[in-house]
Structures are given as C-alpha cells and as structure tokens.
C-alpha cells in the first residue's frame, strides 16, 4: 500500500471513530477495576461547539483516554442542560417565525413546541463532539429534563423546603426585562459603563429653597419616596424632617437622615427609590417608606409612574431629561463611569426589583463545602482559585431559585384562591398536605376552583447542581451499584466563570444529599481569547468556526493547537498558526512512518558484507545502533516518567510539549538519523523491530492528545492485536543516567560542529579531521562512532595541545579542532568566537538575574532551581573555554 504524500485526516478520522464506537471502547460498566470518572459540564441544549468547548472537552478526553490506557475503568458521562432562559428564547423565536405568540398558547401547548425544538436541535453539540474525537460513554447521555432527573429535582426542592432551607419571600431581586424573569446574583455580570450623571433640583415644601440630587437614573424619580442626607452634614441639617417635591409629578416626600449616605459623594443628598435599588430598599424598610414600583416586567413604565406610561425605560430617560431641562429642574449633566449589572444570558441591563420569589438559605449548605476545599479534601488546579472560592463562600447570599419561565422544572408549590400554599410533588399529595396544614378540605376542581400549581420554573442551576450523582441516579435510585461505584467522581474540568454558579453548588449538594464530596479534583481551564486578548464572541466576529477548522486541519491538529498554548488556569491567546503547527506535526510523524516503512524491505544481516572492510563498517554500525537504541530507550523511559507526573499535576500543555519534543527532536531528528542505513544498505532486523517498537510506544504516549493519527500509524507500522485506544501502557523500563548524559553530550557536540562548519562555509558532505581536547576522553568513547559519522569526520583523535589552522569549537570545558585541509580565515574564526562569547555572557546574565530574584528562589521547585544552577555552571564553563580559544588565536 502506497502512503499519501501528507497525512490526510478526514476519511481516517471518520473510519477510526466509527471503529471505536462499533467496538464499544468508550462504554463503561462497574467491575473489579479502579474507576476513573468524569462528568461533562453539560453544555446548553441550545449550544454549538465553540473554542471554549474545544478546550474543555479536549482536556477531558485526554484525561479519560489516559486513564483508559493505564488500566482504569474510564467512565466519561456526556449530556446536556435544558438551559431555561436560552431555550425558551429560541422557542419563542421559532414561534414568532411561524406567526405564533407565546401569549396565545397554554403552558402545555408551549411545552409541546419546546420539546419539538429540543428533539430537533438539542443533540447537535454532542454530535459535534464526536468530530473532535471525544470518547465519552454515549450510552450514558443524560439530560436535566429526563423523567428520573426531573423527579429528583422536585424531590430536592421538597426536602429543602421541609428542612426550612427553601422559603418564599418578597425581596429585591435582579430582573431580566428581556427574558422577563428573576436572576440570581451570580447571573449578573458587572460591566464598566459610560453614563451621564444628572443633577436635579427638588423644591422644598413651604420654602423657596431647593435641594440638588445627582442620579444616573432620572427615569426612576417617579418612584422616589424620600430624600436622605447624612445626619452630620451641616449643609442639610436645617432641612431634616422637612418635605420636598419630586420633579414633574409633584409627589411630596420626606427628607430623612441616615449615616448610610456619604457626605462627599455627589451632592451629599440621595434620592431614595425603594422599589428599584437594593440599598434604597433597605433604607425604605428601616425608615418605613412607601414603595412605588414604576416598571412593568418588560422594562416599560407602568401606570404608577404617572407619566410616559408604556415607554421603554431608556427611551423614557431621554424624554424625561428633555422635560426636566425644559421645566428648569435639570441643573447640569456630567460624564460618569460606573459598574452596571447585565444579564449573563441576554446581555440586557438588569433592573433591581422588589418581587415575591423562592429562595434557598445558603449558609448551612456552604459550611461543609467551604471546609472541603480549604482543607484540600477537594483540590483545585491551579490552587489560586481557592481564595476566590473562599471569599464568595464566606460572604454567600441566599439564592433566588424561581424563574418566570415555562421551560424547566416547575416549582412544586400549590395555591388556593387566597394565596395559601403547600409544597408537594403532585396535586394529590398537595391536597393531602393542604388538609393536614390548614385543617380543612382543599378546594377541588380545575382552574380557579382547585389548588393551582406555581407557574414559575426553577433556576437551571438548581437542577445541574445534582449532576455528579444524578447522572448515576443517585437520588432517583438511592444506593444503586452504579452510584456506589462511580461516585465520588475523580476530576471536574470546567471554566472559572462558573465556579459560583456550578462548582460551589455541586460541592454543597454532594455533601447535603450524598454525604460526600462530588469529585476529588477541579481543573480550571483558562478563557480562550484572540491574539489581541479579547474574549471570543460572535458580536466581535473573532470566534472561529470550530467545525470549519477541523475540516481544514483535522481534529488532531485542532486538539494539538488548543492544548499546546493552554497552561492550567491561564487564558489562552488562540492563534490559528498553532493549528498549522499541529498539522505540520502530523506530517512529520507521517513522513517518519514512510521512512521506516521504506526500511521494511531492506532488512539484512552480516552475510551481505563479505569483505573485511564491509565487515568493519558493519561492526561500527552495530556500535552506533546499540548506543542509539540504548539512548532512545532511556529517553523514552525518562519522558514517560516526566509525563506521568505532569498528568497527575494537570500540566497537560507541558506534557504535550515534552512528547512533541521527544517525537520531533529525539526520535525523528536524532534517533532515526543515527540508525539510518547507508545508501542501498540493509538495516539489521533487530534494529528495525526495535525502531518499530519505539514508534509504537511514542504513538501510545501521544494517543490521548492526538488519537486519530496515532491509531492509524500504529496499524500501518505492523499488524496490531489490540487497538491503541485501549492498549495498556507497559511498565516503564529503568534507564541509564550515563547513557542519557552521553546522548546529551553527543547531540550538543554534533550541533556545535555542524553550526561551526556552516559558519565557515564548510559543506556538510566535506570531510574533516576532528581533534578533541578534553580531560575526560572516556566520556567520548561510547559516542565516538556516531559522532564521526554524523559530522563526516575521516578520523577522530584526542589531543592535549592546541591545534593550529583549525576551526575551534567550544562545548562546555572541551575544545574541538576541525581540520578541513585548507587555509582558514582566522579573522572570521575570531568573529564567530566573539559572537558566541557575547551570547554566552548574555545568557549567563539572564540566569544570574533569575537566581538573584528572591521571590523566584523561594517559590521555585528544587528541581527547577537545580536546573538554573546547572545552566549557570555550564555557561561559565563555555565562557572560559571560548576565552581560552580566543587567547590562542
């Protein structure tokens, strides 16, 4: 079979993914093995794959594939979240296209359309994950609106209500005027926003005097029910206890005093609007003020506003400012920048609003969840997120869980006509509960005559906080063998933006409902940004089409590109050139395969070398091959050990870079060059078999990161009894430190001599005589044959003296004299040595600066410090050798 010029991924990816699925390699059932479990952060059912998903799911797939290949029972549970706000918006848009208004439908009719949309579009993102090469157990796909899951959510609500931790209360909430629903504090994004600060004149009752108020929201003055000043503010002491009139509507409101007001902010006088500001609401409760709600639920002005009724709040602002100015109430306007809350889902400015909602009391839930993270029962990677978590948990507020939506888990509360209510899973249970609670028969019948269920749904996060155990039916089938086996899960991979929405709440629910932590580690990914550091978004047009990139570069190259630049917890500056690097890596491996396959038909033994000279050459080749095999075997073992540590520490990007260097540099650039047979010469069968074995092991090591190309190459190298996807890693063989050091020295000397030949216009094929000046010639004996072959030296000798008319190369403390058989330009030699000296001194200065940094020395790992010290010692040795060479010249 003739191999293509370059690796062609598309058909091969489809072939291997179908093969893995057909073999059931991703499936998991409880057995005697150690489980390794990951539950996917369920993407919204409305979602399509983007770069953030690419990063998150690639990391999960790397971890799960690695676990599978280390002999663990790897279980990765996929699924989707019903996403109340986002999905309802999509369904409303679909209905609008069909000429149907949501308001014209009953709840049941609307839900039929919602399920229609979900069945049609809801699984798209999971199908797209397959193109990326993700390997979850698709048989376990969960959905937060599945029947058992739904029932468990309702069960949790009832449990917490009976425990007294869920209550109904009228409090200030964040209102999304576009989605027409309440939001929790965590669903509000604070953004720096340019606004205008309006200074308004309020007239004093019974006086010609005025009081000036500064506000960014003149459209809310119709909800003002007081003016507040500081009790010690001399400017306003004479006005305390008096009354003022609200501009335009002439409402008479009191002037009150409270230390809450800052005397040096604005004018020192504050308009109090209890219905539309949380702080004003607290002031209103303290001072017994009237509450006037001037907004409808869509953000338009309500009849209570008295003026501009029905106008949108921001349009009303413009009209009110014009009228205030026309009537002499507007004193001045200033530019002003402050934080404004926006809905995380709809990007609409949130409206603070007094509303009757359902709440979860969080303090008792938070206590064990905080303790588990701070005492590292649950470990965060990177650990810097512990402080963020602690700060939020120590200052946690009650959670508003009701949403004014139809798509989702309906609140299990039932009301009579007077507003009395009970909490129960079904109407029948509610009627029994009503009788017990109120000591009378419940109203029977439909509609207004019977008990009526709450119209609102629960916050989406109230269902997804059960995810780690309910995907195994931990509540719907308590104590079942699956939840006992797979729970607690091992690793959660998620973005830091949802540490409060989801991570903290899952930890709380795990301890409350399962009495143990939900996972052992949390790996926080960075945010994928463009090369300008901007977060990727459709509105900026900087979010690439992920599926399009996979079509162009292949899934392996995309996975490589996103991982090579993603250190744990740090943001990623995505550049498409990283995908090109991944594609080039694929082609590098492919070309190595073609080279090795070419050797397959050229295997031979010593019988092909009958004469003495050929026999001597063959013996030299044996020496070369033996060293090359010993060295690469050691490098492979060394890197496998390093990668295993990196995987445990979630340093996945470092692990990939280390494997990349092993494959590209050590295997392709060095090992294959060292064992490559001469022109039209055979390769020893044992060398060929060992080379194929090394290639297989490299592909196995790389497989979790780049599954398709590695599987294909393994099967092309030789017939496989076990597919790479499920092939267990062999034990790591011990390696020789002496051989590895000899290999490092060999690479350094070859590179330095080749570089010197190039700088002095000596062609690679031109032979040289090499003399080595060293105090340790025994270090060169094992590598002498390879060195001679690689630098094209006719002979190698050792000397204690300087050798005239040669190119001088300094490597650490040793000198290498290259005799080319022609007169050399000593001026050019001197220039090259001076350049090298300058470079080495600059390098030494950078290392010394790092070692002189007290913070670096205190925080660096011991092995990092040792490496930096070795760099310093090596640089000093090279500088000494170069200076000696210059003195000779």
């Amino acid at each position: 079979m003739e191999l293509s010029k370059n690796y062609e991924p598309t058909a091969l990816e489809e072939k291997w993914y179908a093969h893995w699925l057909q073999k059931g390699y991703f499936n998991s059932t409880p057995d005697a093995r150690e489980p390794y479990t990951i539950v996917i952060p369920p993407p919204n059912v409305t979602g399509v794959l983007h770069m953030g998903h690419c990063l998150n799911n690639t990391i999960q797939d790397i971890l799960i594939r690695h676990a599978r290949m280390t002999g663990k029972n790897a279980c990765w549970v996929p699924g989707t979240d019903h996403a109340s706000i986002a999905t309802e918006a999509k369904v409303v848009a679909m209905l609008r296209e069909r000429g149907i208004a949501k308001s014209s439908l009953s709840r049941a009719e609307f839900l039929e359309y919602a399920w229609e949309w979900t069945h049609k579009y809801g699984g798209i993102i999971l199908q797209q994950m397959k193109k990326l090469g993700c390997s979850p157990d698709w048989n376990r796909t969960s959905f937060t609106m599945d029947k058992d899951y739904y029932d468990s959510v309702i069960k949790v609500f009832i449990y917490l209500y009976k425990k007294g931790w869920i209550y109904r209360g009228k409090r200030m909430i964040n209102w999304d005027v576009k989605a027409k629903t309440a939001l929790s504090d965590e669903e509000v994004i604070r953004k720096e926003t340019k606004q205008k600060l309006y200074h308004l004149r309020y007239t004093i009752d019974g006086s010609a005097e005025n009081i000036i108020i500064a506000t960014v929201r003149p459209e809310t003055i119709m909800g003002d029910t007081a003016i507040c000043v500081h009790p010690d503010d001399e400017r306003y002491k004479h006005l305390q206890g008096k009354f003022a009139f609200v501009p335009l509507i002439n409402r008479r409101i009191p002037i009150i005093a409270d230390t809450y007001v800052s005397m040096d902010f604005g004018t020192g006088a504050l308009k109090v609007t209890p219905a539309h500001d949380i702080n004003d609401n607290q002031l209103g409760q303290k001072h017994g003020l009237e509450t006037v709600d001037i907004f409808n639920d869509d953000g338009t002005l309500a009849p209570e506003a008295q003026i501009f009724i029905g106008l949108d709040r921001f349009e009303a602002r413009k009209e009110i400012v014009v009228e205030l100015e026309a009537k002499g109430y507007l004193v001045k306007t200033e530019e002003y920048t402050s934080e404004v809350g926006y809905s995380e889902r709809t990007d609409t400015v949130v409206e603070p609003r007094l509303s009757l909602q359902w709440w979860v009391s969080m303090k008792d839930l938070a206590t064990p969840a905080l303790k588990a993270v701070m005492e590292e029962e649950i470990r965060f990677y990177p650990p810097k997120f512990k402080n963020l978590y602690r700060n939020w948990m120590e200052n946690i507020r009650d959670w508003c869980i009701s949403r004014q939506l139809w798509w989702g888990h309906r609140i299990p509360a039932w009301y009579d006509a007077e507003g009395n209510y009970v909490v129960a899973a079904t109407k029948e249970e509610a009627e029994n509960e009503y009788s017990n609670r109120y000591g009378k028969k419940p109203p029977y019948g439909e509609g207004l005559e019977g008990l009526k269920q709450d119209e609102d749904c629960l916050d989406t996060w109230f269902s997804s906080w059960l995810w780690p155990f309910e995907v195994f039916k931990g509540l719907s089938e308590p104590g079942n063998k699956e939840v006992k086996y797979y729970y607690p899960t091992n690793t959660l991979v998620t973005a830091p933006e949802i540490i409060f929405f989801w991570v903290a709440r899952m930890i709380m629910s795990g301890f409350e409902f399962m009495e143990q932590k939900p996972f052992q580690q949390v790996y926080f990914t960075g945010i994928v940004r463009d090369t300008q550091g901007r977060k990727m978004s459709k509105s900026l047009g900087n979010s690439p089409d992920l599926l399009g990139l996979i079509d162009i570069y292949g899934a392996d190259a995309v996975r490589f590109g996103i991982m090579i630049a993603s250190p744990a917890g740090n943001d990623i500056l995505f550049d498409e050139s990283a995908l090109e690097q991944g594609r080039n890596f694929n082609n590098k491996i492919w070309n190595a395969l073609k080279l090795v396959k070419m050797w397959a038909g050229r295997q031979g033994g010593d019988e092909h070398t009958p004469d003495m000279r050929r026999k001597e050459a063959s013996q030299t080749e044996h020496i070369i091959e033996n060293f090359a095999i010993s060295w690469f075997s050691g490098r492979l073992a060394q890197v496998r050990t390093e990668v295993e540590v990196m995987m445990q520490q979630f340093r996945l990007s470092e692990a990939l870079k280390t494997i990349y260097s092993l494959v590209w540099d050590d295997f392709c650039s060095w090992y294959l060059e060292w064992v490559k047979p001469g022109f039209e010469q055979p390769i020893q069968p044992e060398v060929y078999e060992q080379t194929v074995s090394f290639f297989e092991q490299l592909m196995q090591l790389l497989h979790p990161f780049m599954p398709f190309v590695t599987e294909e190459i393994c099967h092309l190298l030789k017939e496989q009894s076990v597919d790479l996807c499920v092939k267990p890693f062999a034990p790591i063989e011990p390696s020789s430190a002496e051989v590895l050091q000899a290999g490092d020295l060999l690479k350094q000397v070859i590179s330095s001599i080749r570089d010197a030949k190039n700088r002095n216009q000596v062609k690679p094929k031109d032979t040289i005589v090499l003399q080595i000046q060293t105090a340790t010639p025994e270090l060169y004996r094992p590598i002498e044959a390879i060195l001679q072959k690689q630098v094209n030296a006719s002979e190698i000798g050792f000397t204690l003296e300087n050798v005239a008319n040669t190119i001088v190369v300094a490597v650490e403390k040793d000198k290498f004299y290259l005799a080319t058989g022609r007169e050399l330009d000593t001026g050019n030699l001197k220039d090259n040595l001076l350049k090298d000296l300058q470079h080495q001194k600059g390098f030494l200065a950078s290392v010394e600066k790092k070692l002189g940094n007290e913070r670096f020395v205190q925080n660096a790992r011991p092995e990092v410090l040792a490496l930096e010290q070795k760099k310093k010692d090596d640089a000093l040795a090279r500088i000494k050798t170069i200076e000696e060479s210059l003195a000779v010249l």
Side-chain angles (χ1 to χ4, degrees):
M1 170 186 167
E2 186 177 351
L3 298 177
S4 59
K5 180 181 178 183
N6 291 317
Y7 175 66
E8 297 172 357
T10 306
L12 295 176
E13 289 173 359
E14 291 173 0
K15 176 187 82 171
W16 283 116
Y17 202 87
H19 175 77
W20 295 330
L21 285 179
Q22 188 268 326
K23 289 286 188 180
Y25 290 152
F26 307 159
N27 302 343
S28 175
T29 54
D31 59 27
R33 291 175 295 167
E34 176 189 349
Y36 181 84
T37 313
I38 294 178
V39 293
I40 192 174
N44 286 352
V45 74
T46 59
V48 292
L49 215 58
H50 56 61
M51 295 310 295
H53 292 130
C54 175
L55 173 65
N56 188 287
N57 288 303
T58 298
I59 289 170
Q60 290 176 85
D61 195 48
I62 290 167
L63 295 174
I64 213 75
R65 285 180 181 272
H66 179 264
R68 195 177 287 130
M69 296 167 75
T70 53
K72 295 176 182 174
N73 189 350
C75 178
W76 181 14
V77 181
T80 49
D81 185 284
H82 66 282
S84 291
I85 296 175
T87 304
E88 187 145 326
K90 292 280 188 183
V91 176
V92 168
M94 178 186 77
L95 292 171
R96 191 183 303 118
E97 288 176 3
R98 298 182 187 181
I100 304 169
K102 179 188 173 184
S103 57
S104 69
L105 301 174
S106 68
R107 185 190 195 102
E109 289 169 334
F110 178 81
L111 290 178
E112 282 185 21
Y113 284 113
W115 278 111
E116 176 196 329
W117 189 94
T118 301
H119 291 316
K120 186 174 182 179
Y121 299 107
I124 288 176
I125 194 166
L126 299 182
Q127 293 303 314
Q128 292 172 335
M129 282 175 59
K130 294 177 180 179
K131 285 208 71 173
L132 192 59
C134 294
S135 61
D137 183 348
W138 295 110
N139 296 329
R140 294 181 175 276
T141 303
S142 294
F143 181 41
T144 50
M145 289 284 280
D146 288 341
K147 176 67 169 63
D148 287 342
Y149 203 117
Y150 190 106
D151 292 345
S152 293
V153 173
I154 301 306
K155 184 189 292 186
V156 163
F157 183 98
I158 295 169
Y159 166 85
L160 291 175
Y161 174 76
K162 288 181 177 177
K163 198 168 183 177
W165 289 0
I166 282 183
Y167 63 93
R168 192 168 183 246
K170 193 168 189 178
R171 297 174 55 178
M172 290 299 292
I173 51 101
N174 307 293
W175 185 259
D176 184 329
V177 301
K178 187 173 182 180
K180 297 182 185 176
T181 182
L183 303 172
S184 67
D185 291 337
E186 291 71 41
E187 290 170 294
V188 178
I189 309 299
R190 311 295 302 183
K191 297 182 187 178
E192 286 283 325
T193 304
K194 290 182 179 180
Q195 304 179 84
K196 293 187 184 300
L197 188 64
Y198 301 92
H199 291 251
L200 307 181
R201 178 181 288 110
Y202 287 58
T203 58
I204 305 299
D205 186 18
S207 167
E209 201 173 350
N210 301 299
I211 187 168
I212 308 301
I213 308 293
T215 179
V216 293
R217 302 200 64 195
E219 71 277 13
T220 64
I221 62 173
M222 296 83 75
D224 292 354
T225 56
I227 290 172
C228 191
V229 296
H230 195 283
D232 299 332
D233 195 330
E234 294 294 335
R235 294 171 295 176
Y236 304 121
K237 270 192 174 181
H238 66 291
L239 295 178
Q240 293 175 25
K242 293 190 176 183
F243 290 82
F245 292 100
V246 177
L248 304 184
I249 63 169
N250 226 29
R251 179 186 297 130
R252 187 171 177 265
I253 59 175
I255 300 173
I256 60 175
D258 197 288
T259 54
Y260 166 76
V261 178
S262 174
M263 288 188 281
D264 57 1
F265 179 77
T267 63
L270 176 76
K271 66 190 274 307
V272 183
T273 319
H276 300 294
D277 183 274
I278 188 167
N279 297 312
D280 289 10
N281 183 260
Q282 291 170 357
L283 275 174
Q285 290 180 40
K286 182 177 179 181
H287 293 275
L289 301 177
E290 182 186 4
T291 299
V292 181
D293 186 350
I294 64 167
F295 290 125
N296 296 313
D297 61 6
D298 62 354
T300 57
L301 293 187
E304 289 78 4
Q306 302 182 42
I307 56 176
F308 300 111
I309 296 166
L311 205 59
D312 175 78
R313 54 188 170 154
F314 295 121
E315 287 300 315
R317 178 183 296 179
K318 296 175 186 175
E319 297 293 334
I320 285 169
V321 167
V322 170
E323 189 162 340
L324 286 168
E325 186 171 25
K327 294 185 175 178
Y329 293 114
L330 181 62
V331 178
K332 65 175 180 177
T333 304
E334 298 175 326
E335 296 297 323
Y336 184 71
T337 300
S338 66
E339 280 195 345
V340 175
Y342 289 78
S343 167
E344 189 258 345
R345 291 295 183 199
T346 63
D347 201 35
T348 303
V349 173
V350 166
E351 192 62 54
R353 190 179 192 190
L354 196 61
S355 181
L356 185 62
Q357 301 287 345
W358 288 92
W359 305 79
V360 179
S361 176
M362 299 299 285
K363 286 212 173 290
D364 291 329
L365 282 165
T367 301
L370 175 60
K371 182 172 180 282
V373 172
M374 300 319 296
E375 295 182 0
E376 297 200 333
E377 183 183 355
I378 298 172
R379 289 180 176 269
F380 281 5
Y381 294 88
K384 66 181 181 181
F385 289 107
K386 281 174 64 177
N387 287 333
L388 181 69
Y389 177 87
R390 180 182 63 190
N391 182 60
W392 184 75
M393 293 290 273
E394 288 178 344
N395 298 281
I396 198 164
R397 296 180 180 180
D398 286 358
W399 176 13
C400 176
I401 56 170
S402 44
R403 298 291 179 271
Q404 288 61 56
L405 301 164
W406 281 351
W407 174 246
H409 305 83
R410 192 171 182 180
I411 292 174
W414 306 78
Y415 303 86
D416 65 13
E418 285 78 42
N420 299 313
Y421 67 89
V422 292
V423 170
T426 66
K427 189 170 185 179
E428 183 180 6
E429 291 174 13
E431 289 169 346
N432 292 333
E433 181 68 23
Y434 186 93
S435 298
N436 294 333
R437 181 170 183 178
Y438 295 107
K440 60 180 180 179
K441 288 184 178 181
Y444 291 104
E446 298 299 323
L448 296 175
E449 289 134 27
L451 289 179
K452 186 179 179 184
Q453 189 175 356
D454 199 308
E455 288 290 323
D456 293 348
C457 280
L458 290 162
D459 178 12
T460 297
W461 299 104
F462 192 82
S463 55
S464 56
W465 75 328
L466 313 180
W467 189 253
F469 51 83
E470 191 49 32
V471 294
F472 302 113
K473 302 189 185 301
L475 283 182
S476 48
E477 297 176 17
N480 73 76
K481 70 174 184 179
E482 293 231 328
V483 77
K484 283 182 176 180
Y485 180 76
Y486 292 115
Y487 186 91
T489 66
N490 293 76
T491 308
L492 175 73
V493 181
T494 190
E497 306 101 282
I498 56 174
I499 189 171
F500 310 132
F501 287 126
W502 194 45
V503 178
R505 289 170 180 162
M506 280 191 292
I507 297 173
M508 293 182 217
S509 70
F511 281 110
E512 181 61 27
F513 305 119
M514 302 301 292
E515 298 182 348
Q516 54 183 324
K517 62 187 177 185
F519 27 72
Q520 296 173 21
Q521 311 105 4
V522 182
Y523 176 97
F524 289 105
T525 68
I527 298 170
V528 184
R529 301 183 182 276
D530 65 13
T531 52
Q532 298 177 44
R534 301 175 303 174
K535 190 172 180 179
M536 288 185 169
S537 69
K538 288 181 181 177
S539 59
L540 288 175
N542 63 348
S543 184
D545 174 10
L546 180 58
L547 295 179
L549 293 176
I550 291 174
D551 288 339
I552 295 168
Y553 296 98
D556 286 324
V558 170
R559 290 166 66 114
F560 176 94
I562 198 73
M563 288 306 303
I564 204 74
S566 58
N570 292 328
D571 290 354
I572 297 109
L573 298 182
F574 175 76
D575 191 329
E576 200 168 322
S577 63
L579 275 59
E580 293 175 11
Q581 186 184 0
R583 181 168 61 187
N584 293 341
F585 188 34
N586 278 339
N587 288 331
K588 180 76 171 181
I589 303 169
W590 191 252
N591 288 331
L593 168 70
K594 290 196 290 183
L595 177 64
V596 172
K597 291 291 286 182
M598 187 173 67
W599 296 345
R602 292 170 51 190
Q603 297 179 58
D606 290 341
E607 67 274 9
H608 293 274
T609 57
D611 61 74
M612 185 60 68
R613 189 169 52 184
R614 292 283 294 275
K615 188 160 286 190
E616 287 175 359
S618 178
Q619 289 171 350
T620 301
E621 289 299 326
H622 278 314
I623 294 171
I624 291 173
E625 291 159 356
N626 288 340
F627 177 83
I629 288 170
S630 297
W631 169 75
F632 192 76
S633 178
R635 275 295 291 143
L636 188 55
Q638 186 181 42
V639 167
R640 279 190 60 192
T641 302
E642 290 172 1
V643 166
E644 196 56 41
V645 172
M646 291 172 187
M647 294 294 287
Q648 297 304 319
Q649 297 173 347
F650 297 97
R651 291 154 52 203
L652 305 187
S653 183
E654 282 184 66
L656 177 57
K657 288 173 184 174
T658 302
I659 299 168
Y660 173 82
S661 177
L662 178 69
V663 174
W664 190 293
D665 298 326
D666 292 328
F667 184 69
C668 294
S669 299
W670 293 112
Y671 173 79
L672 292 181
E673 276 295 309
W674 293 349
V675 301
K676 182 170 69 176
F679 180 65
E680 293 187 346
Q681 294 298 306
I683 188 168
Q684 295 296 321
E686 60 272 21
V687 176
Y688 178 79
E689 291 301 323
Q690 189 59 66
T691 300
V692 169
S693 175
F694 284 152
F695 212 151
E696 287 178 298
Q697 291 177 69
L698 288 172
M699 294 302 94
Q700 188 178 21
L701 191 58
L702 183 59
H703 180 79
F705 297 87
M706 303 173 74
F708 294 109
V709 66
T710 51
E711 187 79 81
E712 175 69 9
I713 283 178
C714 267
H715 283 266
L716 290 174
L717 277 169
K718 61 184 278 191
E719 188 176 336
Q720 300 291 327
S721 58
V722 180
D723 288 326
L724 195 57
C725 181
V726 290
K727 185 177 181 179
F729 287 111
I732 298 175
E733 298 290 335
S735 57
S736 165
E738 291 78 10
V739 171
L740 289 172
Q741 288 167 5
D744 288 342
L745 176 62
L746 177 61
K747 291 190 295 179
Q748 191 175 5
V749 172
I750 291 171
S751 297
S752 298
I753 291 175
R754 284 175 173 172
D755 183 50
K757 289 176 73 174
N758 180 55
R759 288 203 308 262
N760 288 278
Q761 288 83 49
V762 179
K763 295 176 181 178
K765 290 184 178 181
D766 291 349
T767 58
I768 60 169
V769 174
L770 179 62
Q771 296 288 326
I772 305 174
Q773 188 179 35
T774 177
T776 54
E778 66 277 4
L779 294 181
Y780 290 92
R781 299 300 181 194
I783 61 176
E784 188 175 338
I786 297 184
L787 176 59
Q788 184 172 350
K789 176 184 175 183
Q790 292 293 299
V791 301
N792 202 17
S794 59
E795 60 179 280
I796 292 180
F798 293 89
T799 180
L800 298 176
E801 305 295 332
N802 298 324
V803 182
N805 195 36
T806 57
I807 300 169
V808 185
V809 178
V811 178
E812 312 304 349
K813 297 177 182 178
D814 298 338
K815 296 178 194 172
F816 298 81
Y817 300 97
L818 283 60
T820 63
R822 59 185 173 87
E823 193 68 28
L824 297 175
D825 182 349
T826 55
N828 187 46
L829 285 172
K830 185 176 180 180
D831 287 344
N832 288 333
L833 285 170
L834 285 170
K835 287 177 185 175
D836 196 9
L837 180 63
Q838 186 178 7
H839 170 74
Q840 296 297 339
K841 285 184 174 180
F843 176 75
L844 176 63
S846 68
V847 174
E848 287 179 330
K849 183 178 180 181
K850 190 179 287 187
L851 288 171
N853 184 324
E854 193 173 328
R855 177 182 284 184
F856 170 76
V857 173
Q858 287 176 348
N859 296 326
R861 297 191 301 272
E863 61 269 26
V864 173
L865 276 177
L867 179 62
E868 293 301 319
Q869 186 60 51
K870 184 178 184 305
K871 288 179 182 177
K872 178 182 175 181
D873 295 341
D874 291 346
L876 286 169
R878 285 193 293 270
I879 288 169
K880 182 182 177 185
T881 305
I882 294 168
E883 287 174 340
E884 289 173 354
S885 300
L886 282 166
V888 171
L889 283 175

